[in-house]
Amino acid sequence: MCRPLEFRAARTTYHHHDGSFRSQSFISVRPTANGRDSVPQTAEEVAEGELLDAYSQAVAGVAERVGPAVVRVEMAGPNGPKGTGSGVIISSDGFVLTNSHVAQGARSAKLTTSEGQTLEARVIGDDPHTDLALLHADASAKLAVARLGDSKKLKPGHLVVAIGNPLGFESTVTAGVVSALGRSLRSRTGRLIDDVIQTDAALNPGNSGGPLVNSRGDVVGINTAVILGAQGICFAVASNTASFVLGELVRHGRVRRAFIGVAAQTVAIPRRLARAAETAASGAMIGSIEPSSPAAQAGLAPRDILVAIDGKPIEGVDDLIRRLNAERIDIQTTVSILRGGRRVDFKLTPTERAAA
């Protein structure tokens, strides 16, 4: 058994050829069990090596825990496979999340696990507005499952790992960081998907529908898009959005939404202003408003910060999405905003968003 290395600081004084005396600091390493000295390392090099080792262990640990729950998805068409991508099993009874643009309107799919097991699946629901689809796999054997996490806890700089099947290469793992939060991304229907996560974890065709995972092994996003020609600009639909869509698809087979006509992003509210206006520490800032929409008719404007709907706090875009559910369609609603440092209430009546 090898003994652990011992590092000792030392200072050596030596006589230079010009007659002067010089000293030099270094780190000494005690001999290993085989009697040979290892290469001397500075303290900085030792610390850097330990950090890299911890990073590697974190990424490897995530891949080991979540990788078995990632599947290859092949959508069935009348003339063979219609589209391929990735998916993640999120319940022991076989529910699988993937992208709407992977499903492409198909009604059934073939899934392949990391161990090569093939499963037949049917499409429970498809929501192009968020680029999410829900499948159900018919499996008699126990399936590996990944856990949906809370994307609201993410911060820029957090480590994330993407797992999927890019370009047909099964169970590929890439790592990066959260580059930004609260991005908006236009879906195939033309609607903006709010609360999107931007990451530099490399994604390629085939990664679509696979999980974006934090260092604890929780799924915090569903990988959805890259900007072609750009380096390290990739996007994932936040897990909190996915949780809402998942519940709607299980209950109704589709997502009914109340529509007010705004695109927004989560922003922090200065503590003094939040205290004075009696709001949470964050809200949903309006980026744009659709013409003739309920929000436009009520008088809302870009840069207004939504902080409550019918008195219930809005701490970000995911709260806004959840509050605008089917129960608010055609029901007069009070929307509270921050504008110019003051809290102002508006009344509007959400309509039902048209099906994609």
Side-chain angles (χ1 to χ4, degrees):
M1 179 179 295
C2 294
R3 294 176 298 170
L5 295 177
E6 296 181 12
F7 298 92
R8 293 186 177 182
R11 181 176 294 273
T12 298
T13 302
Y14 61 93
H15 185 264
H16 198 258
H17 63 80
D18 62 4
S20 62
F21 289 89
R22 304 286 175 84
S23 63
Q24 182 178 12
S25 298
F26 64 93
I27 299 292
S28 65
V29 184
R30 292 177 66 90
T32 58
N34 60 14
R36 292 177 296 180
D37 290 343
S38 42
V39 178
Q41 292 180 293
T42 66
E44 291 80 5
E45 289 173 334
V46 171
E48 182 179 354
E50 291 175 347
L51 286 174
L52 287 173
D53 187 52
Y55 175 85
S56 297
Q57 290 180 7
V59 174
V62 167
E64 289 176 1
R65 288 194 297 274
V66 181
V70 179
V71 295
R72 175 181 171 84
V73 178
E74 294 181 77
M75 304 309 300
N79 300 313
K82 188 174 183 179
T84 60
S86 303
V88 58
I89 304 170
I90 46 88
S91 73
S92 58
D93 53 353
F95 283 109
V96 178
L97 275 173
T98 187
N99 284 147
S100 172
H101 76 261
V102 172
Q104 295 186 30
R107 303 314 305 164
S108 61
K110 182 177 77 171
L111 311 179
T112 307
T113 69
S114 59
E115 295 181 349
Q117 181 184 7
T118 300
L119 307 170
E120 297 298 322
R122 58 190 176 91
V123 178
I124 299 297
D126 183 358
D127 185 45
H129 288 313
T130 54
D131 197 23
L132 292 170
L134 181 67
L135 315 179
H136 186 264
D138 300 320
S140 54
K142 185 177 180 181
L143 298 173
V145 174
R147 180 177 58 198
L148 282 178
D150 183 0
S151 55
K152 189 184 290 186
K153 294 180 179 179
L154 284 176
K155 293 181 180 179
H158 277 181
L159 171 68
V160 285
V161 177
I163 307 176
N165 305 293
L167 302 172
F169 293 99
E170 306 293 331
S171 303
T172 297
V173 177
T174 57
V177 298
V178 174
S179 304
L181 297 167
R183 297 296 198 208
S184 294
L185 186 68
R186 196 166 297 278
S187 68
R188 290 181 301 141
T189 64
R191 177 186 182 272
L192 287 176
I193 307 172
D194 294 321
D195 207 26
V196 172
I197 301 164
Q198 180 184 332
T199 177
D200 65 352
L203 302 179
N204 290 287
N207 267 117
S208 294
L212 188 71
V213 188
N214 65 15
S215 58
R216 293 182 296 276
D218 296 332
V219 176
V220 292
I222 301 298
N223 300 320
T224 186
V226 299
I227 295 181
L228 296 178
Q231 293 289 330
I233 302 181
C234 306
F235 301 97
V237 179
S239 60
N240 287 9
T241 299
S243 294
F244 166 75
V245 171
L246 167 66
E248 291 292 299
L249 293 178
V250 169
R251 285 190 292 270
H252 309 298
R254 68 187 184 96
V255 182
R256 294 188 70 213
R257 291 185 178 85
F259 169 76
I260 63 173
V262 302
Q265 66 181 50
T266 302
V267 295
I269 298 174
R271 184 179 302 176
R272 181 181 300 176
L273 177 57
R275 191 162 49 238
E278 297 181 344
T279 71
S282 58
M285 186 176 73
I286 297 174
S288 61
I289 297 178
E290 295 188 24
S292 303
S293 65
Q297 294 171 3
L300 299 184
R303 302 197 67 78
D304 286 344
I305 301 177
L306 292 161
V307 294
I309 290 181
D310 283 341
K312 296 181 179 179
I314 300 294
E315 297 186 29
V317 171
D318 53 344
D319 284 344
L320 179 62
I321 291 171
R322 283 197 297 271
R323 299 275 186 260
L324 294 175
N325 54 25
E327 296 175 0
R328 296 192 186 277
I329 296 172
D330 296 330
I331 301 297
Q332 188 178 66
T333 301
T334 300
V335 175
S336 302
I337 65 162
L338 292 181
R339 178 187 288 176
R342 295 176 53 246
R343 181 167 177 155
V344 185
D345 290 342
F346 291 84
K347 291 190 181 299
L348 53 76
T349 302
T351 59
E352 182 172 5
R353 178 176 289 279

